[in-house]
Amino acid sequence: MHMLDNEQAAARAWFEELRDLICAEFEAIEREAGSDAAFDYTAWDRHDSSGAPGGGGVRGVMKGRVFEKVGVNVSTVGGKFDGEFGKTIHGASEDPTFFATGISLVAHMANPHVPAVHMNTRFLVTTKRWFGGGADLNPPLPIEEDTADFHACLKAACDGHDPADYDRFKQWADDYFYIPHRKVHRGVGGIFYDHLEGDFAANFGFTQDVGRAFLEVYPRIVRRRMNAPFSDAEIAQRNAWRGRYAEFNLVYDRGTLFGLKTGGNIDAILMSLPPVATWA
């Protein structure tokens, strides 16, 4: 993979820094729960379709008392899109050369009163340059206080930046995180944005604040709920809800498809799947 330019290097460094901050906070929560669980990191490399080195990443997974399974992945990859897939990517129909760096996180929680969560932010370069991503809350048993807290924190991140539009990004998340064959939303939403291009500094600053907002609000929600009592029936509800989460990620999620189509690490791509799920 070619040498990174200043913008690419800055984005990569931030995503890796955010990974370290999030993982440290999640491990602290485990220690508060009396667990010594920690992230296990596995580095991986990929080769482009031509056989040339194509970058790679680090898959981080922790299985603990509070976080039944949480994955935090960072990757920086590049090369050329293979075949028709490139024509579906912003700016790649003219030239299949690409660069992508980002962080992707999914947490599935032991206590059904603690919401699962997804967060992903990324920077892509084709013939265009843009940021995308967002965060969304996925509670098996929704609690209005948590939903409101999550949305308020993301709205504050949006309101601090000119390129951000909370109402539009919230609607985008509602539209995207929807399971058509079930006719239900995957969770209680958040924000989703893509193809945020033009002013690199402004768009990068907003993307950083999305990561900071997640780091502020989600651990707070976890600590609020992680010691709540629960029943076997609520565990059954959690596991059935997880089945729907898995359906979305395997059938509709664009990030899953992007990873598989670009030769990413399969275990890292599919770390979003829950450790236990049920179907009727």
Side-chain angles (χ1 to χ4, degrees):
M1 195 172 70
H2 67 272
M3 290 287 292
L4 275 57
D5 62 32
N6 290 340
E7 293 180 352
Q8 294 168 345
R12 175 182 183 171
W14 163 249
F15 295 134
E16 292 177 350
E17 178 185 349
L18 181 60
R19 181 267 317 276
D20 293 343
L21 292 169
I22 289 171
C23 290
E25 187 68 13
F26 287 1
E27 288 178 350
I29 290 173
E30 284 291 333
R31 289 194 295 273
E32 292 165 22
S35 164
D36 61 357
F39 277 88
D40 179 41
Y41 297 102
T42 303
W44 57 271
D45 296 309
R46 68 177 285 278
H47 287 83
D48 196 35
S49 57
S50 67
V58 177
R59 170 180 176 255
V61 174
M62 179 174 70
K63 297 179 181 180
R65 185 171 296 174
V66 179
F67 294 86
E68 185 171 356
K69 177 188 175 187
V70 54
V72 185
N73 298 331
V74 291
S75 62
T76 300
V77 299
K80 291 188 176 182
F81 290 117
D82 194 19
E84 294 295 308
F85 180 66
K87 297 178 181 178
T88 69
I89 302 298
H90 187 54
S93 58
E94 302 90 341
D95 181 345
T97 304
F98 79 96
F99 167 88
T101 184
I103 181 172
S104 180
L105 176 155
V106 175
H108 294 289
M109 312 305 290
N111 189 318
H113 297 290
V114 182
V117 76
H118 160 257
M119 188 277 292
N120 163 257
T121 51
R122 57 194 178 271
F123 176 57
L124 281 88
V125 177
T126 55
T127 60
K128 303 180 185 295
R129 291 174 172 245
W130 77 96
F131 287 93
D136 61 293
L137 201 65
N138 298 270
L141 304 169
I143 300 172
E144 179 55 36
E145 179 186 9
D146 298 341
T147 301
D149 194 9
F150 191 77
H151 279 276
C153 204
L154 291 175
K155 183 177 187 302
C158 291
D159 290 348
H161 294 271
D162 289 337
D165 183 337
Y166 170 74
D167 290 334
R168 183 165 70 92
F169 294 167
K170 178 182 181 298
Q171 186 61 51
W172 203 337
D174 289 341
D175 293 341
Y176 180 68
F177 295 110
Y178 182 75
I179 309 173
H181 64 269
R182 295 280 188 184
K183 295 182 171 56
V184 296
H185 289 92
R186 188 177 78 172
V188 296
I191 62 168
F192 181 79
Y193 63 99
D194 210 1
H195 305 158
L196 198 62
E197 56 189 307
D199 187 334
F200 174 86
N203 297 333
F204 185 31
F206 168 61
T207 296
Q208 288 176 300
D209 276 356
V210 170
R212 294 185 184 106
F214 172 84
L215 183 59
E216 174 189 342
V217 70
Y218 186 66
R220 181 166 69 232
I221 293 172
V222 173
R223 289 184 169 99
R224 186 186 296 155
R225 305 296 172 196
M226 66 186 197
N227 294 316
F230 56 86
S231 65
D232 290 344
E234 288 168 331
I235 288 291
Q237 286 180 264
R238 182 203 67 184
N239 292 346
W241 172 87
R242 283 178 174 177
R244 295 184 178 187
Y245 191 97
E247 289 172 19
F248 177 88
N249 278 36
L250 290 174
V251 178
Y252 302 111
D253 187 71
R254 296 202 314 239
T256 302
L257 181 63
F258 183 92
L260 294 174
K261 290 288 188 179
T262 56
N265 179 272
I266 293 174
D267 290 332
I269 296 163
L270 298 181
M271 65 86 186
S272 62
L273 297 180
V276 177
T278 59
W279 284 264

